[in-house]
Amino acid sequence: YSHYFFQGLVAEIGNMKGFKTFIPAQDKNKPFAKQKLGEVASISKLFEFTYPEILRKAQTIDVVWFNDRKYPSSFFEIEHSTDITNSLIKFVELQDFRTNFYIVADLRRRAEFDSKIALNAFKPIKPFINFWDYDSVLDFHTKATASKLAEQALL
């Protein structure tokens, strides 16, 4: 499994949950399940929900879920091998939005996440940030897909 695999799963989960999903331009041509990540995202351009300098930060987030009002519902950073601190700093820049923040990573990185989120610098976002491990993402995706298929079979 790769960074892009989990990025695609998170986008697909968002699509199944009825959100508009965004994947940044630098990742759109990366492979995911016999297609490109850009084909998984339901929107190709970030909604202009705030000031340009904040949008520039948001455009680098791995996956964004938007609600019906075109505001961000959740921001996801996939941390396969990079420093979690960089993602937390991005989230601090976006803290004024009523949204959820997720670090998606291998369960072995949970202790690293916990130690970094405990720093005073991240105190303002601590109540809104979650750790979502790879196995849980995969399990959620599998169950959501099965539920969606069962729902379609009934139609």
Side-chain angles (χ1 to χ4, degrees):
Y1 298 123
S2 70
H3 175 278
Y4 306 113
F5 175 76
F6 286 100
Q7 195 173 6
L9 290 182
V10 170
E12 283 190 340
I13 291 167
N15 291 337
M16 286 186 269
K17 291 175 70 73
F19 292 102
K20 298 291 184 204
T21 56
F22 173 80
I23 293 196
Q26 69 266 19
D27 297 338
K28 288 185 187 289
N29 292 319
K30 301 297 182 185
F32 171 72
K34 299 181 183 176
Q35 59 187 328
K36 293 180 180 179
L37 276 174
E39 296 169 23
V40 177
S42 61
I43 59 171
S44 59
K45 186 176 182 225
L46 196 70
F47 291 128
E48 294 183 16
F49 61 91
T50 188
Y51 299 104
E53 60 272 15
I54 303 296
L55 284 175
R56 279 193 291 279
K57 287 282 185 203
Q59 287 174 337
T60 67
I61 301 287
D62 288 327
V63 180
V64 184
W65 292 357
F66 286 94
N67 63 27
D68 291 336
R69 293 176 314 284
K70 300 180 181 176
Y71 280 97
S73 174
S74 298
F75 291 101
F76 299 85
E77 280 285 273
I78 315 303
E79 290 302 335
H80 201 62
S81 59
T82 51
D83 187 351
I84 289 173
T85 304
N86 296 332
S87 294
L88 296 176
I89 290 169
K90 287 182 193 180
F91 292 161
V92 167
E93 292 296 318
L94 296 161
Q95 69 180 301
D96 296 314
F97 296 95
R98 197 168 93 192
T99 187
N100 296 303
F101 302 107
Y102 292 88
I103 296 292
V104 179
D106 189 286
L107 188 57
R108 291 175 288 192
R109 296 193 73 187
R110 180 63 196 239
E112 176 188 356
F113 167 81
D114 289 340
S115 70
K116 293 196 174 172
I117 197 63
L119 296 171
N120 280 336
F122 302 121
K123 187 176 182 179
I125 63 169
K126 189 174 182 178
F128 311 105
I129 192 156
N130 304 283
F131 183 89
W132 202 10
D133 70 83
Y134 288 161
D135 290 339
S136 295
V137 170
L138 194 52
D139 185 54
F140 192 98
H141 184 273
T142 301
K143 288 177 180 171
T145 302
S147 176
K148 193 78 162 173
L149 291 173
E151 183 181 300
Q152 290 172 349
L154 293 174
L155 299 178

